């Protein structure tokens, strides 16, 4: 049994916002893969819940007229992995969320829940940062758009304001067009494990595939929130493709990350993993983009 005070079922996004305003202490529940576990453990005893699980208007992947990829916040990990638009334009996101939990978790876990938890180890987080994702939030004043790196405020804390719910994750066309990426999750087990470190890289090469036009690299568990390594990104921009560049790119990530010691891994070990995984993900991304190394 779950110890809850009340369960409210939202019928529309507008209804969900009204319920949030009427019950400001209530917890939003979508797939429930995190919330129900916390309740079972007694961490949310007596909680009020607002279920948005049936809101199909914020489920699924589509493309806006300007080419922006729109991922509804209720889209499950399994749906994202299989979706044709994701496979065509940002396949690495599908590959990243396909490493979350096991099949049961991926069938019910949602991209909105994964980001709204605010945890740095979320498998979607580093890839969404590396692809310049924008969070769409709907509240009493209408729609608010926020870059994902501003949405994460601290460990387990995101910028959800009074009455707001997250309705979509947006990937601008400029952020995915002619870009190819690779995600590496380092964990103690191959499945059903939290990332010790997550690394997502993507590149856009010149027309002749000889130079890096743009590079992105982002990490999970390299700081209290997911983060980009801007120093490495600037270093690679405009440079000829080479293994030497891959090594310099990887070493440069140390300028911007700040992993911590924990029972799962020491700081120095995480730094070592960050450098090695950045190098491997950079090389993989260049090859996916048609470059030769």
């Amino acid at each position: 049994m779950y110890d809850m005070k009340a369960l409210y079922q939202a019928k529309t996004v507008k209804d969900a916002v009204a319920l949030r305003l009427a019950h400001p202490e209530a917890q939003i529940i979508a797939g429930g893969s995190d919330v129900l576990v916390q309740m079972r453990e007694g961490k949310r005893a007596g909680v009020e819940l607002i279920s948005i699980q049936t809101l199909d208007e914020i489920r699924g992947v589509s493309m806006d007229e300007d080419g922006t990829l729109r991922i509804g916040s209720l889209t499950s990990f399994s749906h994202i992995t299989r979706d044709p638009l994701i496979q065509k334009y940002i396949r690495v996101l599908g590959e990243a969320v396909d490493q979350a939990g096991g099949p049961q978790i991926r069938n019910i876990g949602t991209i909105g829940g994964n980001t709204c938890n605010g945890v740095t180890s979320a498998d979607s987080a580093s890839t969404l940062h590396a692809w310049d994702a924008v969070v769409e939030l709907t509240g009493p004043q209408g729609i608010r758009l926020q870059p994902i790196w501003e949405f994460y405020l601290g460990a387990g804390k995101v910028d959800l304001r009074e009455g707001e719910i997250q309705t979509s994750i947006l990937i601008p066309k400029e952020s995915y067009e002619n870009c190819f990426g690779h995600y590496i999750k380092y964990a103690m087990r191959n499945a059903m494990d939290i990332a010790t470190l997550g690394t997502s890289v993507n590149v856009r090469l010149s027309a002749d595939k000889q130079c890096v036009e743009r590079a992105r690299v982002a990490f999970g568990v390299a700081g209290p929130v997911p983060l980009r390594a801007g120093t490495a990104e600037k270093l690679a921009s405009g440079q000829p493709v080479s293994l030497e560049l891959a090594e310099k790119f990887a070493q440069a990530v140390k300028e911007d990350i700040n992993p911590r010691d924990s029972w799962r891994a020491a700081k120095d070990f995480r730094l070592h993993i960050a450098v090695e995984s950045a190098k491997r993900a950079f090389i993989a991304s260049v090859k996916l983009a048609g470059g030769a190394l």
Side-chain angles (χ1 to χ4, degrees):
M1 296 294 291
Y2 294 99
D3 182 0
M4 69 178 77
K5 180 179 179 182
L7 172 64
Y8 309 101
Q9 178 65 60
K11 298 179 176 62
T12 63
V13 168
K14 183 177 180 180
D15 187 32
V17 171
L19 286 168
R20 284 269 288 149
L21 289 171
H23 307 279
E25 300 302 316
Q27 169 71 49
I28 291 286
I29 183 170
S33 56
D34 288 309
V35 173
L36 292 179
V37 172
Q38 293 165 1
M39 291 175 65
R40 188 176 62 195
E41 293 174 345
K43 295 178 180 179
R44 295 183 181 273
V47 70
E48 292 181 282
L49 298 177
I50 299 172
S51 174
I52 60 171
Q53 204 277 331
T54 61
L55 304 188
D56 288 341
E57 59 191 293
I58 55 172
R59 178 179 284 110
V61 181
S62 61
M63 182 177 286
D64 292 348
E65 289 185 3
D66 63 358
T68 297
L69 279 174
R70 177 179 295 273
I71 307 170
S73 293
L74 283 186
T75 310
S76 71
F77 298 140
S78 296
H79 188 146
I80 289 171
T81 299
R82 297 191 302 265
D83 185 85
L85 288 173
I86 296 296
Q87 290 186 357
K88 182 176 181 179
Y89 294 110
I90 183 170
R91 190 180 185 91
V92 63
L93 178 60
E95 294 169 348
V97 299
D98 200 42
Q99 297 184 50
Q104 298 93 334
I105 296 295
R106 294 193 291 271
N107 284 338
I108 64 170
T110 64
I111 192 75
N114 205 224
T115 50
C116 285
N117 269 343
V119 296
T120 184
S121 59
D123 285 301
S124 68
S126 55
T127 296
L128 291 175
H129 277 68
W131 293 76
D132 306 315
V134 176
V135 179
E136 179 189 87
L137 303 152
T138 302
Q141 308 305 317
I143 292 175
R144 180 169 68 93
L145 300 178
Q146 187 173 44
I148 195 162
W149 51 87
E150 293 180 4
F151 183 62
Y152 282 78
L153 299 177
K157 186 178 181 182
V158 295
D159 189 17
L160 267 174
R161 301 176 187 176
E162 184 180 12
E164 286 186 336
I165 67 167
Q166 188 198 107
T167 45
S168 288
I169 301 288
L170 309 175
I171 312 291
K173 184 178 181 179
E174 163 62 21
S175 298
Y176 69 78
E177 192 171 37
N178 298 320
C179 294
F180 298 83
H182 186 65
Y183 173 73
I184 296 175
K185 175 179 180 176
Y186 184 94
M188 297 303 171
R189 298 180 299 188
N190 290 331
M192 297 298 290
D193 203 359
I194 297 171
T196 302
L197 192 89
T199 306
S200 190
V201 173
N202 68 76
V203 301
R204 178 187 291 137
L205 300 185
S206 57
D208 62 5
K209 310 299 182 184
Q210 298 300 305
C211 290
V212 177
E213 283 192 357
R214 194 201 77 177
R216 295 284 187 268
V217 54
F219 293 94
V221 209
V225 296
L227 53 85
R228 291 257 296 272
T231 302
E233 295 177 353
K234 292 176 183 177
L235 181 148
S237 180
Q239 297 301 307
V241 170
S242 68
L243 289 175
E244 181 183 6
L245 178 62
E247 181 63 35
K248 290 181 178 179
F249 174 85
Q251 291 294 333
V253 304
K254 292 187 289 186
E255 298 296 322
D256 296 301
I257 63 176
N258 185 31
R260 66 183 180 90
D261 289 311
S262 76
W263 67 269
R264 290 194 294 120
K267 176 177 181 177
D268 288 347
F269 183 55
R270 282 197 171 101
L271 283 170
H272 172 74
I273 299 169
V275 171
E276 184 62 27
S277 60
K279 179 180 177 179
R280 294 185 186 188
F282 179 84
I283 291 171
S285 297
V286 168
K287 290 181 177 178
L288 287 167
L293 285 166

